[in-house]
Amino acid sequence: MFELPKLDYKNNALSPIMSEQTLDLHHGKHHQTYITNLNNFIKDTELEKLSLEEIIKKTSSDNTKLGIFNNASQHWNHNLFWKCMKPNGGGKMPSKLEEKIKKDFGSFENFREEFIKAGLTQFGSGWCWLSIKDGKLVVTKTPNAENPIISNMKPILGCDVWEHSYYLDYKNKRPVYLENFFDKLINWEFVDSNL
């Protein structure tokens, strides 16, 4: 059975960029609901013995298992999301990651612009990602619960652009949320460790 992961920081530690109220609801309620639903869906089935990644891959193209896929994928997405943030995040990134970003995007500024644009142009609910595809870093976006794993990529940074991740703090200002996430929350050491 899957369980809600503990955060590496207190619920008020990302404030004011991400408020304690948002984190309480997002982590404690939304993420917990995905886990509860997933556990209920897979109980006493052959999926119960599989890893989260295996469940995602096995159910992603099966419309009869859409509920399982959505909840499994959202659980995986959020596990990554919480680790991608830290108090007083953003700022300078480790040199290995910085070199790779400059090589694959031309400059840090180009990467920042592309990542934020992906989050802004994701219509409705979804995610924006930095992933490894065939040894190269790429920025992508996905709708709803989908993630780059189903396209044989390895996500190393993800930002949730579902309204529940920012609406209490930013209302309809998704651009401000994305800029603040990028500049003030990202845990570049964690992203670097995924390379």
Side-chain angles (χ1 to χ4, degrees):
M1 288 305 208
F2 294 103
E3 292 180 359
L4 186 70
K6 282 193 167 61
L7 296 175
D8 296 330
Y9 37 81
K10 293 194 169 143
N11 279 17
N12 63 358
L14 304 181
S15 190
I17 313 304
M18 187 175 284
S19 69
E20 183 173 7
Q21 187 183 15
T22 290
L23 211 49
D24 280 342
L25 279 169
H26 197 170
H27 177 258
K29 301 283 190 291
H30 285 283
H31 191 175
Q32 180 61 64
T33 299
Y34 298 132
I35 295 164
T36 302
N37 289 341
L38 174 61
N39 286 335
N40 287 336
F41 274 128
I42 64 172
K43 192 171 188 239
D44 301 326
T45 73
E46 77 283 355
L47 296 172
E48 199 173 21
K49 296 173 180 66
L50 300 181
S51 72
L52 202 48
E53 289 83 359
E54 288 169 329
I55 293 171
I56 290 167
K57 287 178 180 173
K58 197 166 178 129
T59 60
S60 67
S61 57
D62 184 347
N63 283 338
T64 67
K65 295 194 167 57
L66 194 58
I68 298 170
F69 169 74
N70 283 334
N71 286 282
S73 197
Q74 280 290 71
H75 179 31
W76 193 98
N77 296 350
H78 283 87
N79 286 347
L80 182 76
F81 182 57
W82 306 132
K83 296 214 169 278
C84 285
M85 297 183 287
K86 70 174 185 177
N88 304 307
K92 189 152 173 56
M93 58 175 65
S95 57
K96 183 177 81 170
L97 178 62
E98 189 175 15
E99 283 163 27
K100 182 77 174 140
I101 283 192
K102 283 180 179 168
K103 181 174 176 252
D104 293 342
F105 294 97
S107 70
F108 174 79
E109 291 70 28
N110 286 350
F111 161 59
R112 181 185 183 275
E113 188 181 334
E114 210 175 306
F115 187 84
I116 290 172
K117 186 180 174 189
L120 285 179
T121 57
Q122 173 49 50
F123 184 74
S125 301
W127 294 78
C128 55
W129 307 94
L130 175 66
S131 302
I132 302 168
K133 180 184 183 182
D134 302 325
K136 189 177 178 200
L137 290 176
V138 292
V139 166
T140 58
K141 59 185 177 179
T142 57
N144 303 315
E146 286 181 24
N147 70 39
I149 290 174
I150 61 174
S151 303
N152 294 314
M153 294 187 237
K154 180 190 177 188
I156 64 171
L157 168 65
C159 181
D160 190 345
V161 292
W162 284 61
E163 284 189 340
H164 63 236
S165 64
Y166 64 87
Y167 210 81
L168 287 174
D169 301 327
Y170 298 93
K171 304 294 183 265
N172 62 333
K173 296 179 182 147
R174 189 189 283 189
V176 181
Y177 159 68
L178 282 161
E179 286 166 9
N180 280 336
F181 171 84
F182 194 98
D183 296 334
K184 299 172 183 174
L185 285 183
I186 293 179
N187 181 349
W188 290 121
E189 290 74 26
F190 171 73
V191 179
D192 180 69
S193 74
N194 288 322
L195 265 183

